[in-house]
Amino acid sequence: MTAAEPIVEMHDISISFPGVKALDGVDFRMFPGEVHTLMGENGAGKSTLIKALTGVYQIDSGSIVVGGQRRQFQGTGDAQEAGVATVYQEVNLCPNLTIGENVMLGREVRGRVGISWKATHRAAAAALARLGLADLDPTRPLGSLSLAVQQLVAITRGTVFEPTVLVLDEPTSSLDANEVEQLFGVIRGLRDRGVAILFVSHFLDQVYEISDRITILRNGQFQGEHLTAELDRSTLISTMIGKDLATLRSLDAQRAQREHEEGARPVVRARGLGRAGGITPTDLELQPGEVVGVAGLLGSGRTELARLLYGADRADRGTVEIDGRPVTLTSPAVGLRHGLAYSTENRRDEGIIADLSVRENIILAIQAQRGWLRPVPRKEQDRLAERYITTLNIRPADADRPIKNLSGGNQQKVLLGRWLATNPDVLILDEPTRGIDVGAKAEIQEHVLELAGEGMALVFISSELEEVVRLSERILVLKDREKIAEIENGADVTAETIVATIAGHDQNAEVVA
Amino acid sequence: MSTTTQQPQRRLLTSLADTIRSFVSGSRLLRLNAAAMPTAAALLIFVVLVTFGQVQYGGIVELGTISSLFINNAYLIILAVGMTFVILTGGIDLSVGSVVALSSVAGVMLANAGVNPWIAVLVMIAIGTVMGLLAGVLVDRFDVQPFIATLATMFLARGLASMLSTTPERLEADSAILGIATRLTIYDGPGVNDLVVPPSVIIAILTVVVAYVVLHRTRTGRTAYALGASEQSARLMGLPVARTRVLVYVISGSLAGLAAVTYTARLGSAQNVTGIGWELNAIAAVVIGGTLLTGGAGYVLGSLIGALVIALMNLLIIRDGSIPPESTTIITGGMLLVFVLLQRLVIARRRKG
């Protein structure tokens, strides 16, 4: 499709936050009937640019033209008026209200006495049906849906406003393959109706599948705009991260090299560990210096297993031995005392303390371990913060910046630092690379291997099977809250092996949502 | 009490409770919405209280008793309605008791100074509006915690009331304001058992009805619910967050002014120490009625039931005679605790589901 006039033209946009220039003279344009992907590492300024376009942030300088008119957005309401609808990465809906109401909030159909719920829910049902969600009952509370389906509801909400510009900020990060296909169908439908779509994703395959045009940002600066067809992947990645792919490749080489003595005493041995409603009794052994991967679909019991192992939930059956001694893990504090550390998959709510600084976030666990009566001396704090900022390459390298001002990938590194500071024997990482860019991902993977090399036992949980296969020596495959296989990793094991294991275990392997 | 009289009573009570329970659990509306559970429970307990009172003491399910229950508590119903708006957004309004004092003292003094009584009434409501606006602006524009902002306006209103007068101000006996409490007998039953509905009760009921429509049938009302769930989500959804947040305090303040009107009309006088602790009664009514103190879930009809539960408990304690009236607050407190625990249970179940 050739469209003469761009619907969105952002020119020379700059936004500063205290101490950082988040965007520095960035240009960005969108054409009707095109999917335009914004690429860049975490912290490159993608989110900031989106928030400038959707009225969340005010720009310091530059101009925004939407639909031929220059705009000064004071809030998201203004942007919606101008035809810009947004679906954020973190589902921003109200779980206490019904599905239909969430779709229609602010656009309810009025009847004789105020809002007519019948008509509103009917309109919501129609909007849901257009996105292939006809089986959702709009009168049910949103809170009863899985996060993935909530994300689809959020997208439905975006389409109700009949936008000329639809912004999708990492809409696929919590969707499975089928749901992604469903979403892409919807995106193509909207595109063909002339909607300009801004798409952000860390999944390169998805970017190449759906987008017509790509704009690359790095460190808040514009790096170029390309037609997808004219941009090959390695050029894209090296432009994004500003260095070549050697780092990424060296990881693959490392995989086979690790070896450690067989039959060493396991640091953790769990026998029949389980919890009603959480996961059926599961065995797990961890050797020092070993990375054990946990693979499975969302909701297969991965997080539940991790939480039992760490003591965040109490097991109601089974035993855990640490260094050969039986222990009862009643709380995370007990787990921490026994040298266990767990980094949560829910970075925003259970991980970071948004308003505290990087330094304070890093020392949190070690402080809890010492007890609050013995504060970590400031000098020690500075030393720890300094150390992990350097070794984990946390950017910006400022220990006193509130962690909420860091990008997702850097927040994840801070969390990693928090647990490393406790000097654990066993580190459980739950989705440490979700929603972060290739560069940060590679760094975190590198650290995992390094730590194992130093003798730490790691449990690595991830939805990205390639990553699990690349890092783990053994892989636990979970399905429907049950361990269905334990695969000894080797050259012949690939992501397909795991998929086949999950699919083959049971033929009615469909049904998510 | 002998076991022979207790047996049939107890059987009656349990069978009644069972009937209600099966009705409640079978109802489509309530099955769909776990958030309605605490309110349904409040209704159930209210019915149980009425039945218990009727069986134990008699004379509860009578027009006269029901009339006086509403007449004596019209102000509490109105306050609870205003409080519901604020609590739904996740806020709290501690100032309503003091606002009642300020507004009623000012109103009586104005009326006695010869101001047209209806203008005095409007001023009473407007005083509440201004106090609410002040709290709302503090909360929204200056990002003050609702607890602190309304604590400040609470002290302010109480102090202003005391500056106006520290002695009871009596309305003149022929003041038109007293008309708001005129007992209109709708149905003349035998003896004192009449259905009596003064304008103040009609005002209270109308307040509940209008609040219901606003909360459930307008965008402003739905924004209040959204705000209670997540301010950030509401903002990103493009809802008018700032306006709504100020508005709920304005509504609560104005209704406190309206409550002052009905209360003053019934009593015929006003005093600067009126209404101490009423904000807590209003909060208790809202919570017993099933509204989550964290915001986002609840019903204004529940608050009406909550207010009636509190009123009825007080009445039963008086009727019983053997319970020292000093212990009333302990029972109210106990009830409150039970309801909050019930809410915890509902939340826990919803999180699992």
Side-chain angles (χ1 to χ4, degrees):
Chain A
M1 188 174 294
T2 40
E5 283 296 302
I7 180 92
V8 172
E9 269 189 290
M10 300 173 82
H11 180 62
D12 201 18
I13 306 287
S14 293
I15 295 184
S16 294
F17 297 120
V20 242
K21 195 139 201 193
L23 286 181
D24 188 4
V26 170
D27 289 344
F28 182 68
R29 45 187 202 151
M30 292 174 72
F31 294 91
E34 248 187 36
V35 178
H36 193 145
T37 301
L38 198 52
M39 294 294 293
E41 290 192 278
N42 283 295
K46 298 187 304 278
S47 298
T48 313
L49 186 66
I50 288 175
K51 285 180 174 165
L53 176 60
T54 57
V56 178
Y57 293 153
Q58 320 289 310
I59 53 174
D60 296 341
S61 65
S63 63
I64 301 177
V65 175
V66 177
Q69 242 180 303
R70 192 157 172 180
R71 312 277 181 168
Q72 295 274 356
F73 295 141
Q74 301 296 326
T76 41
D78 290 353
Q80 276 176 15
E81 287 300 309
V84 180
T86 318
V87 179
Y88 295 93
Q89 177 184 8
E90 259 115 22
V91 178
N92 281 295
L93 295 177
C94 299
N96 58 332
L97 305 178
T98 65
I99 296 170
E101 194 171 356
N102 271 292
V103 170
M104 301 298 292
L105 210 56
R107 291 277 158 126
E108 296 93 340
V109 184
R110 289 181 213 250
R112 241 172 340 118
V113 193
I115 297 163
S116 161
W117 287 111
K118 229 179 181 171
T120 301
H121 279 137
R122 211 166 31 229
L128 288 164
R130 274 199 297 278
L131 271 80
L133 297 169
D135 52 335
L136 287 185
D137 176 359
T139 62
R140 272 179 54 200
L142 181 85
S144 63
L145 300 179
S146 72
L147 210 60
V149 184
Q150 286 190 25
Q151 181 73 288
L152 293 175
V153 172
I155 292 166
T156 311
R157 175 181 168 77
T159 63
V160 167
F161 290 80
E162 308 224 322
T164 49
V165 178
L166 179 62
V167 180
L168 301 171
D169 188 1
E170 297 210 30
T172 56
S173 60
S174 52
L175 303 188
D176 69 20
N178 285 335
E179 289 161 337
V180 169
E181 260 325 299
Q182 193 177 347
L183 172 65
F184 281 2
V186 171
I187 291 179
R188 290 189 189 103
L190 290 169
R191 180 192 63 192
D192 295 344
R193 272 188 271 158
V195 178
I197 292 157
L198 171 52
F199 181 75
V200 175
S201 171
H202 285 301
F203 300 103
L204 282 184
D205 291 341
Q206 294 178 1
V207 170
Y208 274 90
E209 184 182 340
I210 194 74
S211 52
D212 305 303
R213 196 182 288 269
I214 296 177
T215 288
I216 306 170
L217 298 181
R218 187 172 75 229
N219 293 335
Q221 285 171 338
F222 178 76
Q223 301 291 329
E225 184 202 272
H226 307 269
L227 289 175
T228 310
E230 295 166 3
L231 182 70
D232 68 69
R233 291 185 187 212
S234 20
T235 317
L236 170 64
I237 293 175
S238 45
T239 316
M240 266 169 68
I241 63 180
K243 55 185 171 197
D244 61 22
L245 290 169
T247 357
L248 286 167
R249 296 221 175 86
S250 70
L251 277 174
D252 276 326
Q254 253 179 309
R255 171 171 143 181
Q257 288 170 6
R258 280 178 300 137
E259 256 181 44
H260 54 89
E261 36 189 319
E262 287 297 311
R265 191 169 68 166
V267 57
V268 172
R269 171 187 282 161
R271 288 264 166 273
L273 194 65
R275 179 184 161 94
I279 185 158
T280 53
T282 304
D283 294 342
L284 174 67
E285 264 184 31
L286 290 173
Q287 312 279 351
E290 185 182 44
V291 181
V292 172
V294 178
L297 299 173
L298 273 176
S300 59
R302 302 177 313 199
T303 298
E304 287 78 359
L305 178 63
R307 289 177 64 92
L308 285 186
L309 211 51
Y310 175 53
D313 290 326
R314 262 191 100 149
D316 52 18
R317 64 202 66 172
T319 57
V320 178
E321 283 175 22
I322 292 177
D323 286 331
R325 278 194 311 272
V327 292
T328 317
L329 298 168
T330 49
S331 73
V334 175
L336 201 54
R337 240 187 344 261
H338 284 102
L340 303 175
Y342 167 65
S343 177
T344 174
E345 65 169 339
N346 193 345
R347 184 165 65 221
R348 188 180 62 162
D349 296 337
E350 294 175 3
I352 64 165
I353 312 285
D355 290 314
L356 293 186
S357 70
V358 168
R359 172 174 50 80
E360 287 162 322
N361 268 287
I362 286 179
I363 63 142
L364 212 54
I366 196 168
Q367 181 65 76
Q369 201 178 27
R370 288 166 65 111
W372 298 102
L373 292 177
R374 291 171 47 226
V376 179
R378 180 59 196 252
K379 236 178 162 171
E380 176 77 8
Q381 293 187 16
D382 288 336
R383 201 184 56 75
L384 282 170
E386 181 60 43
R387 177 165 148 209
Y388 290 112
I389 287 174
T390 319
T391 55
L392 300 176
N393 190 20
I394 293 169
R395 281 170 300 170
D398 176 1
D400 291 314
R401 183 182 303 278
I403 193 168
K404 64 179 173 195
N405 295 348
L406 270 62
S407 66
N410 282 302
Q411 290 179 357
Q412 192 64 51
K413 291 190 215 163
V414 172
L415 291 182
L416 192 58
R418 175 193 292 173
W419 297 113
L420 293 181
T422 68
N423 205 7
D425 302 321
V426 178
L427 179 59
I428 306 165
L429 297 171
D430 197 352
E431 294 279 8
T433 60
R434 179 196 290 170
I436 70 176
D437 64 76
V438 265
K441 209 175 253 184
E443 286 179 48
I444 285 181
Q445 293 173 359
E446 240 172 303
H447 289 303
V448 166
L449 294 179
E450 246 174 59
L451 291 167
E454 290 163 13
M456 194 182 285
L458 290 108
V459 177
F460 190 85
I461 304 174
S462 173
S463 304
E464 266 188 67
L465 297 178
E466 289 80 5
E467 184 178 68
V468 175
V469 170
R470 189 185 298 157
L471 296 177
S472 323
E473 288 166 56
R474 274 183 299 132
I475 300 165
L476 253 60
V477 184
L478 300 185
K479 184 180 180 190
D480 297 338
R481 301 177 181 273
E482 193 184 341
K483 176 170 126 179
I484 57 168
E486 192 167 325
I487 301 172
E488 216 39 70
N489 203 354
D492 54 334
V493 176
T494 62
E496 284 71 42
T497 320
I498 298 174
V499 172
T501 311
I502 295 175
H505 179 67
D506 174 353
Q507 285 314 318
N508 8 331
E510 223 41 56
V511 203
V512 186
Chain B
M1 216 175 292
S2 69
T3 37
T4 42
T5 57
Q6 222 171 356
Q7 280 292 333
Q9 277 180 18
R10 184 166 292 166
R11 207 173 303 147
L12 178 71
L13 271 185
T14 41
S15 71
L16 190 85
D18 283 344
T19 318
I20 294 168
R21 204 174 301 132
S22 63
F23 172 75
V24 166
S25 62
S27 154
R28 186 169 164 271
L29 180 93
L30 297 176
R31 198 157 21 101
L32 280 172
N33 195 347
M37 274 300 295
T39 303
L43 188 62
L44 177 79
I45 290 199
F46 180 67
V47 173
V48 169
L49 266 184
V50 169
T51 318
F52 169 77
Q54 179 65 28
V55 172
Q56 189 77 17
Y57 311 111
I60 301 292
V61 192
E62 275 180 14
L63 292 176
T65 312
I66 292 169
S67 299
S68 61
L69 203 62
F70 275 92
I71 291 168
N72 293 335
N73 293 286
Y75 77 91
L76 180 61
I77 293 171
I78 297 172
L79 289 181
V81 168
M83 191 67 75
T84 310
F85 277 85
V86 178
I87 290 182
L88 275 176
T89 65
I92 195 109
D93 188 351
L94 299 178
S95 70
V96 293
S98 300
V99 170
V100 168
L102 171 63
S103 163
S104 53
V105 169
V108 171
M109 288 175 84
L110 280 176
N112 288 351
V115 174
N116 179 311
W118 302 117
I119 297 206
V121 163
L122 283 181
V123 170
M124 290 172 81
I125 297 172
I127 287 174
T129 310
V130 171
M131 295 304 290
L133 183 65
L134 181 59
V137 167
L138 283 174
V139 169
D140 189 71
R141 298 292 138 80
F142 296 92
D143 213 13
V144 179
Q145 293 283 334
F147 189 98
I148 301 298
T150 59
L151 193 66
T153 54
M154 173 183 115
F155 285 130
L156 175 64
R158 184 69 67 190
L160 289 175
S162 301
M163 283 169 73
L164 287 177
S165 163
T166 48
T167 52
E169 296 285 329
R170 297 207 70 77
L171 267 180
E172 280 155 21
D174 57 350
S175 171
I177 296 177
L178 293 171
I180 293 172
T182 322
R183 304 189 166 217
L184 307 169
T185 304
I186 306 288
Y187 173 80
D188 198 352
V192 292
N193 194 12
D194 305 336
L195 179 62
V196 183
V197 180
S200 60
V201 171
I202 297 173
I203 291 173
I205 300 294
L206 271 180
T207 309
V208 174
V209 172
V210 171
Y212 180 84
V213 172
V214 169
L215 282 174
H216 293 274
R217 296 233 157 199
T218 68
R219 284 182 190 162
T220 302
R222 302 321 290 172
T223 304
Y225 277 87
L227 197 51
S230 161
E231 186 198 324
Q232 197 203 354
S233 292
R235 206 180 286 281
L236 290 177
M237 283 167 129
L239 302 175
V241 167
R243 196 180 70 201
T244 309
R245 195 153 53 175
V246 173
L247 191 65
V248 293
Y249 289 93
V250 168
I251 289 173
S252 176
S254 306
L255 289 182
L258 188 63
V261 172
T262 64
Y263 186 76
T264 309
R266 179 162 73 83
L267 215 63
S269 71
Q271 212 180 338
N272 65 326
V273 292
T274 303
I276 292 178
W278 284 5
E279 59 280 349
L280 302 180
N281 284 339
I283 294 168
V286 172
V287 171
I288 289 176
T291 298
L292 277 185
L293 211 44
T294 48
Y299 299 92
V300 69
L301 296 178
S303 303
L304 170 66
I305 295 166
L308 292 177
V309 165
I310 292 177
L312 189 62
M313 266 190 318
N314 291 338
L315 180 70
L316 291 183
I317 288 164
I318 294 165
R319 284 281 172 89
D320 184 90
S322 67
I323 302 173
E326 291 80 9
S327 68
T328 315
T329 54
I330 299 180
I331 296 174
T332 315
M335 290 287 281
L336 193 66
L337 197 62
V338 168
F339 275 91
V340 172
L341 290 177
L342 196 72
Q343 290 182 356
R344 291 274 126 214
L345 206 73
V346 170
I347 293 170
R349 191 176 305 164
R350 202 188 311 164
R351 204 167 275 163
K352 259 187 221 157

